[in-house]
Amino acid sequence: MTFSVAGVCPDTGMVGCAITSSSICVASRCAFTRSGTGVALTQNITNPDLGPLALDLMSEGLNPTAIMAALAEADSNVQWRQLGVLNKTGEGATFSGTEALGLYATAEGKNCIAMGNLLDNTDVPQAMIDSFENSSGHLAERLLNALESGLAAGGELGPIQSAGLQVCAEPNWPVVDLRVDWHIEPISELRMVWRNYQPQMDAYITRAKDPANAESYGVPGDE
């Protein structure tokens, strides 16, 4: 019920993912990022416990193939899962269990992975990879472009209802963590949220690091 893309930017050290689904609140259960570590995606019949576990194993230095083996050992129901991991150096791995729903597919590229289930067609993940590999700019923008390309390539067989975009950088918290939990056009709505958030993103980082030199909030009472 979901398609997603994860990517890293070697130039900035950013790691992130974008995801959409016919299910409500998909990003709250399926998308996991960690600064200086990488990305974990767990979808299809989702087990959210596998996301943090994958990131813990990644931080311990396990490679993506070893992480997948460890996740399979940790979850006796792994055949119902679709999983993806991508570390900060751009090494990735994907897994689709035999009980994954409908048409499902995965793809891997330079510094990125993509996957989906209940797809309109099996070319959707590769469309996201092609978009990511042939784009430039902020990692969040590239991921969102890739998600839009997946939708344009056919996306999920049925209507999508939620979407999310998450990017981690130097701070320990995600510098981008945007969600559309229920909407008739969630990717378009997510694009609108990103368009409004991007100009303010650096200010929120400054407020955390150096509040004495942070700019005004620009709200009534803060003159």
Side-chain angles (χ1 to χ4, degrees):
M1 301 169 282
T2 304
F3 59 96
S4 61
V5 57
V8 302
C9 177
D11 296 332
T12 63
M14 290 183 176
V15 300
C17 59
I19 189 167
T20 189
S21 177
S22 58
S23 298
I24 194 169
C25 306
V26 64
S28 68
R29 298 182 306 277
C30 301
F32 302 87
T33 64
R34 186 177 297 172
S35 299
T37 303
V39 183
L41 295 163
T42 169
Q43 56 194 51
N44 194 65
I45 309 299
T46 310
N47 180 357
D49 285 341
L50 299 181
L53 175 58
L55 292 175
D56 288 343
L57 295 170
M58 205 178 295
S59 67
E60 294 170 7
L62 270 68
N63 63 45
T65 301
I67 291 171
M68 283 298 179
L71 295 180
E73 185 174 347
D75 185 359
S76 60
N77 295 309
V78 73
Q79 292 305 323
W80 275 262
R81 323 299 182 197
Q82 192 173 46
L83 306 171
V85 295
L86 184 71
N87 66 24
K88 64 181 180 180
T89 63
E91 299 174 306
T94 59
F95 168 81
S96 297
T98 57
E99 300 296 328
L101 298 172
L103 281 180
Y104 56 89
T106 67
E108 299 177 22
K110 184 177 181 181
N111 297 318
C112 57
I113 59 170
M115 56 187 187
N117 56 80
L118 280 176
L119 296 171
D120 177 78
N121 63 83
T122 56
D123 295 331
V124 171
Q126 188 60 50
M128 292 189 282
I129 294 294
D130 292 344
S131 171
F132 186 87
E133 289 185 328
N134 291 288
S135 65
S136 60
H138 195 282
L139 180 61
E141 181 72 25
R142 298 176 66 193
L143 291 166
L144 187 50
N145 286 342
L147 198 66
E148 291 168 334
S149 294
L151 180 63
E156 193 174 327
L157 188 60
I160 54 174
Q161 307 284 5
S162 66
L165 176 65
Q166 190 174 105
V167 172
C168 279
E170 182 183 345
N172 287 327
W173 44 274
V175 296
V176 179
D177 193 3
L178 311 179
R179 284 170 39 182
V180 176
D181 285 339
W182 189 253
H183 196 274
I184 192 170
E185 293 185 355
I187 297 179
S188 295
E189 189 77 358
L190 186 63
R191 166 65 68 183
M192 183 275 293
V193 176
W194 166 242
R195 188 181 298 119
N196 284 275
Y197 177 72
Q198 185 179 17
Q200 306 179 57
M201 179 176 58
D202 289 341
Y204 283 106
I205 297 173
T206 301
R207 287 166 189 159
K209 290 185 171 183
D210 188 13
N213 291 305
E215 63 186 75
S216 167
Y217 285 88
V219 296
D222 180 41
E223 292 87 10

